[in-house]
Amino acid sequence: MSEGGANKKGLTVTPVSKIMDKEYIRRALMRIAHEILEKNKGMEGLCLVGIRTRGAVLAQRLNQCMEEIEGRGVPLGILDINLYRDDLTLIDHQPVVRETLIDFDLNDKKIVLVDDVLFTGRTIRAALDALIDFGRPANIQLAVLVDRGHRDLPIRADYAGKNIPTALDDDVRVKLRESDQADDEVLVVKRKIK
Amino acid sequence: MSEWKKTNLLDLQDLSKEEIDLVFETAKSFKEVSAREVKKVPALRGKTVVMLFFETSTRTRTSFELAAKRLSADTINIAASSSALSKGESVLDTARNIEAMNVDMIVVRHRSSGIPGMLSENLKASVINAGDGCRSHPTQALLDIFTIKEKLGRMEGLKVGIVGDILHSRVARSNIWGLTTLGAQVTLCGPSTLMPVDIEKMGVTVNYNVDEVVREVDVLMLLRLQKERQQDNFLPSIREYAKEFGINSSRLKQAKKDMLIMHPGPTNRGVELSADVADGERSVILEQVTNGVAIRMAILYLLSGTHKSIETEQE
């Protein structure tokens, strides 16, 4: 699948390739849920924390998978990392901050942090700082739908839906039903500067 | 959601409905921060906020200072009585000297209207109005409206009564702007000597009968009778004011069931409201104070992201 055309920044956008579809995403999440349960030997002390916006959606879905497997879910939290970003002094306008909702005690818990795309690792760094302000978890693990490489920081995913080799200027776009009002898919958009 | 472009916060009338909503949305997140065990986020690390208070304040100054500290900014307090102002330095010179120490934001309160505006035109630092004369107190109005929205869930069509010394009240003026912008209907009530002429032009109604107002409204906002501004015989006596306009539990018998009682503080118990009303079920006075920190965090956060591009004028 591919399409051409120029966007407003004067970049030629071509081609677009779909690397995950709805079924692929569903199976990947189910596999990750199994892996999490296997590695943690069950759900004792386990919690899911999703990073706004799509990480929160994915955490919710992972919890549904766990319900299917084990008959019950785990405590679920939502984290907004904007206040912990390392580029607040560099960007022009402050990002819109939304509520962080973690209504359980995370001291001594096993936290699985969930995000959609793992890229530079800077979001995860911010999320780790934010989580530690809430307490002292036993450990923090990372689950992502897509790992696209190009890390700026020594961070890795414990669970990944798919590893994709990308060029630095590629765009990886995740669309999810709940957050994007579109069918689930993951696209890689190759960008070429005119 | 709309993008924040303001570099100063001088008046509520500078803000659009969308910008007010953005402040509220941001404040909601910050309220959660204040409820944590570790009440601090690193968003304003390395920024310096100066509180320049030419008029006394407990609530507002503490609230701004806590807000700045919870965002990891550094804060300094300057009170007029203990600064070079008492040695005859002008307001602008004081502010310019403070700015020369590379501060990012100045929170200012002054008894004269327009001082924050004048400073904002002459300084590169962002200026936040924490009350100027009888004119404007934008963060107070924002926290009042945020509290109403949180409690009642809506603004459109809501009836809000403001009772007291409207003439001298910057809180009333800012609230009138904010409330009418968001679609609420405002009724003012108070002694005719303390009601500004032609205030109806702000889109409000005036009713001198406090019992009628109590019956109608969803929210009753009481203002402090500013004893320091009553030297010019506006009132026969404080007692007479308390009898005519003071809110007590017998007066509240006719009120709607879920009507809220609000007060910007400090309260004069026994004057504008009785002690049992101040501590009663309807009262959200302390919640206003809690929300004040969240609103001020939101304002500091949003302003810190915009940079002044205007050249400062040099005389």
Side-chain angles (χ1 to χ4, degrees):
Chain A
M1 190 187 121
S2 73
E3 61 189 61
N7 71 8
K8 60 185 174 185
K9 283 178 186 162
L11 303 172
T12 307
V13 180
T14 179
V16 177
S17 47
K18 189 168 181 171
I19 52 154
M20 291 173 97
D21 63 7
K22 197 174 155 190
E23 274 305 296
Y24 195 153
I25 292 172
R26 189 185 64 77
R27 290 190 192 106
L29 288 174
M30 190 50 102
R31 171 175 54 79
I32 292 174
H34 276 290
E35 282 178 10
I36 292 172
L37 292 167
E38 185 188 4
K39 189 173 171 188
N40 291 285
K41 300 182 179 71
M43 47 205 322
E44 185 60 38
L46 202 63
C47 306
L48 288 168
V49 174
I51 299 175
R52 272 193 200 275
T53 309
R54 292 190 189 85
V57 173
L58 293 170
Q60 173 90 46
R61 289 198 193 173
L62 277 174
N63 209 16
Q64 282 164 4
C65 295
M66 291 195 183
E67 268 172 42
E68 277 179 41
I69 302 164
E70 298 281 309
R72 64 187 171 97
V74 299
L76 182 69
I78 298 176
L79 194 64
D80 184 294
I81 56 99
N82 277 315
L83 296 170
Y84 292 82
R85 285 170 67 145
D86 57 6
D87 56 355
L88 282 178
T89 50
L90 306 174
I91 49 183
D92 267 357
H93 293 285
Q94 297 290 61
V96 174
V97 186
R98 299 191 187 270
E99 249 175 315
T100 290
L101 299 165
I102 298 179
D103 56 4
F104 49 87
D105 177 14
L106 42 76
N107 282 304
D108 300 321
K109 296 281 165 37
K110 299 177 216 165
I111 309 290
V112 179
L113 196 58
V114 185
D115 203 3
D116 54 352
V117 180
L118 179 58
F119 182 22
T120 60
R122 286 174 192 268
T123 301
I124 305 303
R125 196 283 309 161
L128 291 174
D129 276 356
L131 274 180
I132 297 230
D133 276 357
F134 279 89
R136 185 176 186 278
N139 62 49
I140 301 177
Q141 304 158 38
L142 177 61
V144 297
L145 186 61
V146 175
D147 182 349
R148 59 165 295 189
H150 302 288
R151 220 75 79 230
D152 290 344
L153 300 168
I155 280 169
R156 59 161 176 79
D158 299 274
Y159 317 97
K162 190 177 173 65
N163 286 292
I164 311 167
T166 57
L168 200 53
D169 57 357
D170 287 350
D171 247 356
V172 175
R173 293 183 192 163
V174 176
K175 288 184 186 162
L176 297 171
R177 192 181 66 247
E178 297 92 322
S179 53
D180 303 278
Q181 282 80 47
D183 267 350
D184 294 353
E185 60 181 6
V186 179
L187 306 175
V188 175
V189 182
K190 299 262 174 213
R191 290 192 294 190
K192 272 190 216 151
I193 295 163
K194 244 180 199 171
Chain B
M1 201 166 293
S2 74
E3 211 171 57
W4 185 268
K5 291 195 174 106
K6 298 279 182 296
T7 49
N8 304 296
L9 181 70
L10 303 174
D11 286 308
L12 214 53
Q13 50 264 53
D14 298 338
L15 299 188
S16 64
K17 191 174 176 296
E18 289 71 30
E19 285 168 320
I20 294 175
D21 283 339
L22 177 62
V23 173
F24 288 170
E25 193 58 41
T26 311
K28 245 166 76 185
S29 326
F30 285 126
K31 202 173 170 185
E32 178 269 318
V33 172
S34 287
R36 292 182 193 174
E37 212 170 294
V38 177
K39 302 173 187 57
K40 214 177 184 74
V41 289
L44 259 62
R45 224 170 18 166
K47 304 267 183 192
T48 310
V49 182
V50 174
M51 313 316 141
L52 189 53
F53 278 68
F54 298 96
E55 223 183 30
T56 57
S57 163
T58 316
R59 236 166 313 271
T60 307
R61 191 182 52 68
T62 315
S63 181
F64 266 113
E65 191 169 349
L66 273 179
K69 288 190 160 143
R70 285 183 185 167
L71 290 168
S72 301
D74 296 307
T75 59
I76 299 168
N77 268 301
I78 296 164
S81 54
S82 61
S83 69
L85 286 145
S86 54
K87 297 176 188 164
E89 191 176 49
S90 78
V91 173
L92 186 54
D93 279 336
T94 303
R96 277 195 176 137
N97 277 279
I98 292 166
E99 191 190 37
M101 298 177 211
N102 292 321
V103 308
D104 301 286
M105 283 185 262
I106 297 183
V107 180
V108 63
R109 168 174 284 192
H110 199 282
R111 60 191 298 274
S112 300
S113 303
I115 292 279
M118 182 274 285
L119 290 179
S120 75
E121 286 163 16
N122 289 284
L123 298 177
K124 282 199 188 90
S126 293
V127 175
I128 301 172
N129 183 2
D132 62 333
C134 303
R135 191 168 156 278
S136 188
H137 193 350
T139 55
Q140 179 69 43
L142 286 169
L143 75 90
D144 289 341
I145 299 166
F146 181 73
T147 308
I148 297 174
K149 257 191 128 169
E150 195 179 58
K151 284 279 155 191
L152 301 179
R154 66 197 170 99
M155 284 311 298
E156 199 71 42
L158 218 57
K159 288 184 176 153
V160 181
I162 307 180
V163 181
D165 177 358
I166 310 289
L167 184 64
H168 295 110
S169 178
R170 53 194 176 210
V171 176
R173 278 176 191 72
S174 284
N175 262 306
I176 291 169
W177 271 107
L179 289 165
T180 50
T181 303
L182 297 182
Q185 296 170 25
V186 180
T187 305
L188 305 179
C189 180
S192 54
T193 47
L194 293 172
M195 191 63 71
V197 178
D198 278 348
I199 189 81
E200 289 90 344
K201 286 184 179 159
M202 285 183 87
V204 299
T205 49
V206 175
N207 187 342
Y208 293 103
N209 184 333
V210 73
D211 290 307
E212 275 179 33
V213 176
V214 167
R215 263 199 300 275
E216 283 171 7
V217 297
D218 303 293
V219 178
L220 195 62
M221 231 178 239
L222 306 175
L223 301 173
R224 181 173 67 95
L225 190 68
Q226 306 185 35
K227 288 175 184 159
E228 69 274 22
R229 291 186 171 120
Q230 307 301 341
Q231 311 306 326
D232 302 325
N233 299 323
F234 288 109
L235 294 170
S237 74
I238 302 276
R239 260 183 78 187
E240 186 169 320
Y241 176 85
K243 188 168 168 286
E244 290 295 319
F245 295 98
I247 302 298
N248 50 39
S249 41
S250 66
R251 231 171 210 152
L252 286 181
K253 278 184 188 139
Q254 329 152 45
K256 288 186 186 170
K257 229 181 122 209
D258 57 351
M259 184 192 82
L260 302 178
I261 296 279
M262 305 180 75
H263 195 300
T267 52
N268 289 317
R269 287 175 182 233
V271 183
E272 63 264 10
L273 79 175
S274 63
D276 57 336
V277 172
D279 304 326
E281 271 184 5
R282 298 170 182 277
S283 165
V284 291
I285 296 173
L286 292 176
E287 284 165 65
Q288 289 173 266
V289 179
T290 305
N291 286 338
V293 178
I295 286 286
R296 286 164 183 134
M297 284 171 86
I299 292 294
L300 291 169
Y301 171 76
L302 291 168
L303 285 177
S304 74
T306 47
H307 304 283
K308 274 195 183 175
S309 52
I310 50 157
E311 289 292 306
T312 52
E313 288 166 8
Q314 301 287 338
E315 286 92 330

